[in-house]
């Protein structure tokens, strides 16, 4: 009987035998029970295999869940770090060099000085400034030199002469004017050393930088004009 | 699923699964670990509960392994695509069965599928017998069969042919394998009768 059942489900029976098989299902209870057992055994074994493998694999899945959690934590931390780094790069203030700060200060403040006139020789100083504004730098400097020669205490002439020299890129001259101004005693406010330091930084030569630092430190120590700016530049050194 | 593990190519995986023995288990477990995310996907997309999705996934992997072993996986797609397809089909089956309330527990092969070769008007005879019979003892009876019998029946249930079984157990012919297998079924029948 088993062979007939097996051959039927394997499609090995001929038409007549198939018909006989179907007819016997109705007539022979014992035969039908064997067919039922045949099918049930096959199903059961397949189900059993799945249950076994599923039970074996479940611990893998638990481990997999943990690893996924670890991976997510690691990825989360890494993503946070990347975000922090990018945020820091984008949000932090651009770091200026002392040289850039000096140039920035000169560009923002030196022009303003050209409009002020307070000295005793106001007329000559004003003429010198006007000449400088018109681009006649050498003529202007001649006037300022004359003023200084006539009155060595004329700090305004020294200061404006230095500023005009800077604008004309006569840095050596500017350094000299500001150095003389810086050494001048008895002034309530003296920007000489501070301006000298700025010009030295702007020229961006190695030795000048060392001298500029010393001058800025002197400005801070002696509480001279430009102290807050000098402190800021020294912070970025 | 180790944190860092060498990624195997499809051909390495197939070779591994065909190796046999302990090595084979390693590759089977590797395959299982690879697509576990499908369980989460099934819960999210198909609204299956986690337990159902989990067993459907195990069935998918088992079916894939069996198909690889029997040469039914022809490599026309990647294993990943193949598994995704099988899993998706099985999920749809489960949803359909749950909707029509055919069965509450997941079944790898439904009885309806096995009864397909039987004409419609005769199926009810077998369904009635199956409903009346107490098959709860079936597992115990199978365990009482000899080890060889159990192995042969398992292979048969997985779809191995008698030729393949004969080759595996070094029988002289497929006919001998079939006779041996049917004797095992006869023993089962005797256990039932003696109950």
């Amino acid at each position: 009987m088993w062979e007939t059942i097996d051959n039927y489900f394997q499609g090995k029976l001929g038409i007549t035998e198939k018909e006989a098989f179907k007819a016997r299902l109705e007539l022979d209870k014992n035969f039908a029970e064997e067919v039922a057992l045949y099918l049930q055994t096959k199903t059961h074994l397949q189900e059993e295999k799945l249950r076994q493998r599923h039970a074996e694999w479940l611990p893998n899945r638990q481990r997999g869940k943990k690893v996924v959690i670890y991976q997510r934590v690691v990825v989360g931390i890494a993503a946070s770090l990347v975000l922090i780094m990018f945020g820091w790069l984008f949000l932090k203030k651009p770091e200026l060099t002392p040289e850039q700060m000096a140039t920035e200060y000169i560009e923002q403040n030196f022009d303003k000085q050209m409009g002020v006139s307070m000295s005793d020789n106001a007329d000559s100083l004003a003429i010198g400034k006007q000449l400088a504004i018109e681009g006649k730098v050498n003529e202007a400097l001649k006037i300022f030199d004359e003023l200084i020669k006539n009155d060595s205490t004329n700090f305004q002439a020294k200061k404006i002469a230095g500023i005009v020299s800077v604008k004309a890129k006569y840095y050596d001259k500017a350094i000299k004017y500001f150095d003389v101004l810086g050494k001048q005693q008895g002034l309530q406010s003296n920007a000489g050393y501070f301006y000298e330091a700025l010009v030295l930084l702007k020229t961006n030569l190695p030795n000048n930088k060392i001298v500029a630092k010393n001058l800025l430190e002197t400005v801070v120590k002696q509480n001279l004009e430009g102290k807050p700016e000098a402190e800021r530049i020294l912070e970025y050194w | 699923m180790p944190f860092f593990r060498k990624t195997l190519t499809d051909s390495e995986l197939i070779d591994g699964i065909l190796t046999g023995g302990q090595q084979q288990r390693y590759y089977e477990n590797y395959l299982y670990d690879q697509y576990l995310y499908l369980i989460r996907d099934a819960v999210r997309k198909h609204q299956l509960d986690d337990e159902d999705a989990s067993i459907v996934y195990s069935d998918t992997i088992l079916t894939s392994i069996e198909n690889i072993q029997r040469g039914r996986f022809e490599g026309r797609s990647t294993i990943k695509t193949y598994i995704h397809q099988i899993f998706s089909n099985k999920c749809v089956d489960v949803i359909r069965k749950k909707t029509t309330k055919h069965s509450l527990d997941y079944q790898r092969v439904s009885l309806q599928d096995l009864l397909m070769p039987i004409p419609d008007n005769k199926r009810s005879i077998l369904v009635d017998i199956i409903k009346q019979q107490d098959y709860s003892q079936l597992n115990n009876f199978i365990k009482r069969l000899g080890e060889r019998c159990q192995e042969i029946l398992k292979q048969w249930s997985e779809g191995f042919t008698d030729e393949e079984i004969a080759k595996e157990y070094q029988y002289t012919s497929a006919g001998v394998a079939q006779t041996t297998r049917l004797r095992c079924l006869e023993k089962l029948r005797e256990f039932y009768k003696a109950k």
Side-chain angles (χ1 to χ4, degrees), chain A residues 207-221:
Chain A
N207 286 337
N208 286 0
K209 202 173 171 185
I210 297 164
V211 179
K213 193 180 180 191
N214 287 332
L215 285 171
L216 290 171
E217 283 168 350
T218 305
V219 170
V220 173
K221 214 179 285 175

Side-chain angles (χ1 to χ4, degrees), chain A residues 2-4 6-10 12 21-23 25-26 29-54 56-58 60-61 63-65 67-68 70-72 74, chain B residues 1 3 25 28-29 32-33 36 39-40 50 54-55 58-59 61-62 65-66 106-109 111 114-115 117-119 122 125-126 129-130 133 135 138-139 142 153-154 156-158 162 178 181-182 185-186 188-189 192-193:
Chain A
W2 287 107
E3 199 172 346
T4 309
D6 197 43
N7 287 340
Y8 179 84
F9 285 103
Q10 289 194 36
K12 289 179 183 173
F21 176 93
K22 289 170 196 169
L25 268 181
E26 255 177 323
K29 197 190 172 199
N30 194 40
F31 179 72
E33 279 175 1
E34 285 189 359
V35 174
L37 181 64
Y38 178 94
L39 294 175
Q40 196 63 20
T41 304
K42 199 167 190 177
T43 316
H44 177 83
L45 286 167
Q46 288 189 8
E47 297 298 331
E48 197 54 26
K49 185 176 183 189
L50 175 61
R51 309 277 160 215
Q52 273 179 12
R53 293 313 298 269
H54 183 62
E56 282 171 28
W57 278 328
L58 272 182
N60 284 34
R61 193 185 166 210
R63 274 200 301 279
K65 276 183 180 172
V67 170
V68 168
Y70 292 146
Q71 282 170 338
R72 281 181 181 173
V74 169
Chain B
M1 188 199 278
F3 208 101
R25 276 297 160 109
E28 290 175 358
N29 292 342
Y32 178 86
D33 290 344
L36 276 168
I39 299 174
R40 286 196 307 276
D50 187 79
S54 171
I55 199 149
S58 294
D59 188 14
I61 299 299
L62 193 55
I65 291 167
E66 287 171 359
Y106 181 74
Q107 283 182 308
R108 200 172 179 209
V109 180
L111 198 59
L114 281 178
L115 287 171
I118 306 287
K122 303 282 189 286
I125 301 166
L126 293 170
I129 292 172
I130 288 167
Q133 288 276 8
Y135 290 106
L138 191 54
N139 206 33
I142 290 170
L153 288 179
K154 272 182 194 169
W156 161 68
S157 73
E158 288 166 24
D162 287 324
Q178 186 191 29
R181 178 166 55 80
L182 297 179
L185 284 169
E186 178 57 29
L188 268 184
R189 175 81 172 130
Y192 265 103
K193 279 181 181 166

Side-chain angles (χ1 to χ4, degrees), chain B residues 55-119:
Chain B
I55 199 149
V56 169
Y57 179 72
S58 294
D59 188 14
T60 300
I61 299 299
L62 193 55
T63 305
S64 305
I65 291 167
E66 287 171 359
N67 289 349
I68 288 170
Q69 285 171 334
R70 248 163 280 149
R72 286 186 196 158
F73 172 70
E74 294 167 344
R76 286 183 191 165
S77 65
T78 60
I79 290 182
K80 183 181 177 180
T81 308
Y82 189 66
I83 284 175
H84 275 238
Q85 192 59 56
I86 294 177
F87 184 75
S88 174
N89 292 343
K90 285 186 185 289
C91 283
V92 171
D93 276 350
V94 171
I95 295 163
R96 200 166 47 230
K97 280 174 188 168
K98 293 251 172 195
T99 315
T100 55
K101 294 182 179 173
H102 268 148
S103 169
L104 291 174
D105 291 326
Y106 181 74
Q107 283 182 308
R108 200 172 179 209
V109 180
S110 71
L111 198 59
Q112 293 303 322
D113 294 337
L114 281 178
L115 287 171
M116 286 295 277
I118 306 287

